[in-house]
Amino acid sequence: MNNATFRTEHLSVFYGQYEAVKNISLSFPEKSVTALIGPSGCGKSTFLRSLNRMNDEISQAKIKGRIWIDGVDINDPGTDVIQLRQKIGMVWQKPNPFYKSIYENIAFGPKYHGIKNKAELDEIVETSLRKAALWDEVKDRLKQSALSLSGGQQQRLCIARALSVKPGILLLDEPASALDPVSTAKVEELITDLKKELSIVIVTHNMQQAARISDYTAYFYLGSLMEHDTTEKIFTNPEQQMTQDYISGRFG
Amino acid sequence: MRAKLTDKIATFFIVVFSLLIVAVLVGLIGFILVRGLSHIDWHFLTSVPQTIREGGGIGPQLFNSLFLLVLTLIITIPLGLGAGIYMAEYAKPGKITGTIRLVVEVLSSFPSIVVGLFGLLLIVNTFGFGFSLFSGALVLTIFNLPLMVRITEQAFRSVPKEQKEAGLALGLSKWKIISSVLFPVALPSIVTGTVLAAGRVFGEAAALLFTAGMSTPRLDFTNWNPLSPTSPINPFRPAETLAVHIWKINSEGLAPDAAQIAAGASAVLVILVLLFNLFARWLGGVLYKAMTASKRMG
């Protein structure tokens, strides 16, 4: 697995003196879902945010080690972070659509990256919304504000927006934890569909969710990677007692 | 039982205080309008003032106030937006930012008569702009900038940080995020700031006495050459605004109907502020709708 195109190598993340992520080497196989699980504060979200350099925004955050995507060290000074982030979509816990129309939410990214042709943009909007299983619900109201959608619809809109710039990787930070069960089921179904085309990394607190949708699972504890294997192995026969305790709900 | 009683007393006082404020406001506006409205007609709004005879109007002063507002906003809005955006999005917390913030706060609490004298010395005399609309606009900018900067900074800071992250994750540049993602969300607060700044332009008298001057040349409203001394749109001519005019005729007016003119001009000023308020909100609403696809600004 060491030659995977998307992987981290001895990655540590510091907030000032505090080491939030400790020396993690992890590979994300293509066209599969990797779930990051672990109790609150274990560093899994910090780890996820470092994968598209979201931690750049936090002035005290420092990175050690490397993150490789398609043979490029993303923290290399020569790496164009704007180009890099186009290859990586991200969706957060709280839906955060732009204060724009539904259409504009999807078309905004592609427009900025140089697509001016109206027909082409229309096409991108439709495809992205279809992939996010939202098209049928919104196709007659594309000009309306995205904020008029329900929470679950907004979250799928955010997924569609992430897909609009055709990324190869999708990072999901607890994408369903603020949604009702019906919307959650839709988002999970969506993730299973999307992995045919993308590598997906998802942070989740929901063990059943990790078991249902992921192919690989990584268990984090206090900033360290405790165990990483296929989801089946982790959930049926983990190497470590601690992992066993966590997934069976005995702590965390 | 005690908690209930305390609650009732507190509610009583809060309601009384709110009603008191509303009553003062309604009383004040009512008083000004009742005294002034009867004097307002087309002739009053368009003709020039008379020094010693009856029947003078406020035409040039009305125009001056509006023109000064436009000039001031042309200087204040870009500067205020620029500095506010810098403070919110670019400046790193530290000594320099702290100092800038302190200077801005101090600036906003300067007495207007002192700033007027400063304007007289520096802008009018040393820089040689003379008593002019331009000098007046610069001095008003000194007042308005702190407000504009603070309101812009707060407006940008209060946009949820998830909006910015969403933009970053899409690979947008920082400037694109500021101008196209954050700005529309911040717009309603910025409109409020502009309205407050405008109110100050209409109402300020002390600082303008020494900078925009207390007289208006004989204006020729058919002359639109901005460099001609008699042109209304020449920014380098002296210009008495409505507020200054009210002060002047109240303190040294010789016309027999000076009191009525002052009352009429006050009513016009109040109506002007209200109209501008409505206009700015309407314009902000149109912009907001165009940028966000939302129906109402909120």
Side-chain angles (χ1 to χ4, degrees), chain B residues 72-203:
Chain B
T72 310
L73 291 185
I74 287 175
I75 307 176
T76 308
I77 292 179
L79 280 177
L81 279 183
I85 290 172
Y86 173 79
M87 295 295 279
E89 300 296 329
Y90 290 88
K92 296 217 159 59
K95 274 213 175 109
I96 299 177
T97 325
T99 314
I100 295 179
R101 200 166 279 125
L102 183 73
V103 168
V104 166
E105 308 259 303
V106 170
L107 210 56
S108 69
S109 55
F110 260 34
S112 56
I113 193 91
V114 175
V115 177
L117 281 172
F118 168 79
L120 175 67
L121 286 175
L122 192 76
I123 303 169
V124 175
N125 292 335
T126 310
F127 291 165
F129 286 114
F131 289 115
S132 65
L133 281 161
F134 182 72
S135 306
L138 281 186
V139 162
L140 288 173
T141 301
I142 297 180
F143 288 122
N144 283 334
L145 257 190
L147 189 74
M148 208 61 208
V149 171
R150 195 162 7 148
I151 285 180
T152 308
E153 181 184 354
Q154 272 164 9
F156 271 85
R157 274 189 200 283
S158 61
V159 179
K161 79 169 197 319
E162 290 86 3
Q163 290 286 318
K164 197 176 174 184
E165 291 190 326
L168 288 172
L170 271 183
L172 306 181
S173 70
K174 188 165 183 174
W175 175 243
K176 184 70 182 173
I177 292 173
I178 290 171
S179 60
S180 301
V181 177
L182 306 183
F183 180 70
V185 190
L187 184 69
S189 312
I190 294 172
V191 169
T192 308
T194 313
V195 169
L196 290 173
R200 188 120 199 212
V201 176
F202 283 132

Side-chain angles (χ1 to χ4, degrees), chain A residues 49 52 54 57 59 82 85-86 88 90 92 94 96-101 108-109 112-113 143-145 161-162 164-165, chain B residues 92-93 159-174 176 180-181 184-185 288 291-295:
Chain A
R49 289 171 58 88
N52 65 344
M54 271 300 145
E57 289 306 296
S59 54
I82 287 182
R85 284 183 181 140
Q86 276 184 70
I88 312 168
M90 187 161 187
W92 289 261
K94 218 172 103 194
N96 57 353
F98 294 138
Y99 286 49
K100 295 178 187 299
S101 68
F108 193 61
Y112 176 73
H113 295 299
K143 296 284 167 223
Q144 283 180 29
S145 166
R161 178 179 63 189
S164 69
V165 290
Chain B
K92 296 217 159 59
V159 179
K161 79 169 197 319
E162 290 86 3
Q163 290 286 318
K164 197 176 174 184
E165 291 190 326
L168 288 172
L170 271 183
L172 306 181
S173 70
K174 188 165 183 174
K176 184 70 182 173
S180 301
V181 177
V185 190
Y288 188 74
M291 284 193 291
T292 66
S294 299
K295 290 203 177 60

Side-chain angles (χ1 to χ4, degrees), chain B residues 236-259:
Chain B
F236 297 105
R237 64 172 173 87
E240 181 190 32
T241 66
L242 213 44
V244 172
H245 188 61
I246 292 170
W247 173 81
K248 198 169 86 177
I249 47 177
N250 249 334
S251 55
E252 55 190 43
L254 294 173
D257 58 351

Side-chain angles (χ1 to χ4, degrees), chain A residues 89-142:
Chain A
M90 187 161 187
V91 175
W92 289 261
Q93 178 178 7
K94 218 172 103 194
N96 57 353
F98 294 138
Y99 286 49
K100 295 178 187 299
S101 68
I102 295 168
Y103 181 93
E104 218 24 62
N105 259 279
I106 314 292
F108 193 61
K111 248 193 233 171
Y112 176 73
H113 295 299
I115 297 171
K116 302 279 178 236
N117 184 320
K118 173 93 171 67
E120 208 176 331
L121 283 171
D122 288 352
E123 161 75 30
I124 290 175
V125 169
E126 183 174 343
T127 328
S128 306
L129 285 170
R130 275 193 195 284
K131 278 186 191 159
L134 191 61
W135 175 253
D136 290 331
E137 290 162 59
V138 302
K139 64 181 175 206
D140 300 322
R141 46 193 283 210
L142 291 174

Side-chain angles (χ1 to χ4, degrees), chain A residues 1-229:
Chain A
M1 291 227 296
N2 249 343
N3 44 21
T5 53
F6 179 24
R7 65 177 198 277
T8 69
E9 222 175 75
H10 304 294
L11 181 73
S12 297
V13 182
F14 297 85
Y15 291 136
Q17 294 296 310
Y18 175 67
E19 191 174 7
V21 168
K22 296 170 184 162
N23 193 23
I24 292 183
S25 301
L26 196 54
S27 308
F28 307 100
E30 258 175 76
K31 298 186 182 171
S32 61
V33 178
T34 303
L36 310 180
I37 60 169
S40 297
C42 68
K44 56 194 189 304
S45 279
T46 304
F47 177 78
L48 189 79
R49 289 171 58 88
S50 62
L51 296 178
N52 65 344
R53 288 183 52 179
M54 271 300 145
N55 288 328
D56 286 11
E57 289 306 296
I58 302 163
S59 54
Q60 293 113 340
K62 272 208 192 68
I63 306 277
K64 235 176 74 185
R66 284 157 182 257
I67 302 164
W68 296 98
I69 293 177
D70 297 333
V72 174
D73 175 1
I74 69 163
N75 289 306
D76 189 272
T79 302
D80 179 357
V81 68
I82 287 182
Q83 243 179 22
L84 166 81
R85 284 183 181 140
Q86 276 184 70
K87 293 192 208 162
I88 312 168
M90 187 161 187
V91 175
W92 289 261
Q93 178 178 7
K94 218 172 103 194
N96 57 353
F98 294 138
Y99 286 49
K100 295 178 187 299
S101 68
I102 295 168
Y103 181 93
E104 218 24 62
N105 259 279
I106 314 292
F108 193 61
K111 248 193 233 171
Y112 176 73
H113 295 299
I115 297 171
K116 302 279 178 236
N117 184 320
K118 173 93 171 67
E120 208 176 331
L121 283 171
D122 288 352
E123 161 75 30
I124 290 175
V125 169
E126 183 174 343
T127 328
S128 306
L129 285 170
R130 275 193 195 284
K131 278 186 191 159
L134 191 61
W135 175 253
D136 290 331
E137 290 162 59
V138 302
K139 64 181 175 206
D140 300 322
R141 46 193 283 210
L142 291 174
K143 296 284 167 223
Q144 283 180 29
S145 166
L147 302 179
S148 67
L149 297 173
S150 74
Q153 289 174 324
Q154 285 188 15
Q155 193 63 309
R156 278 178 284 146
L157 181 72
C158 291
I159 294 174
R161 178 179 63 189
L163 297 175
S164 69
V165 290
K166 304 195 165 76
I169 295 164
L170 196 57
L171 307 177
L172 306 170
D173 193 354
E174 298 184 50
S177 66
L179 304 181
D180 64 84
V182 177
S183 302
T184 304
K186 281 188 180 160
V187 168
E188 287 184 8
E189 203 178 313
L190 194 56
I191 292 170
T192 315
D193 275 348
L194 288 174
K195 81 169 180 189
K196 289 171 198 152
E197 302 171 29
L198 300 145
S199 315
I200 295 175
V201 185
I202 176 171
V203 164
T204 177
H205 273 124
N206 182 333
M207 290 310 114
Q208 286 80 26
Q209 187 172 69
R212 275 195 299 266
I213 61 173
S214 71
D215 304 298
Y216 299 89
T217 298
Y219 173 61
F220 282 58
Y221 184 69
L222 295 178
S224 300
L225 177 63
M226 305 308 287
E227 195 167 348
H228 175 220
D229 215 317

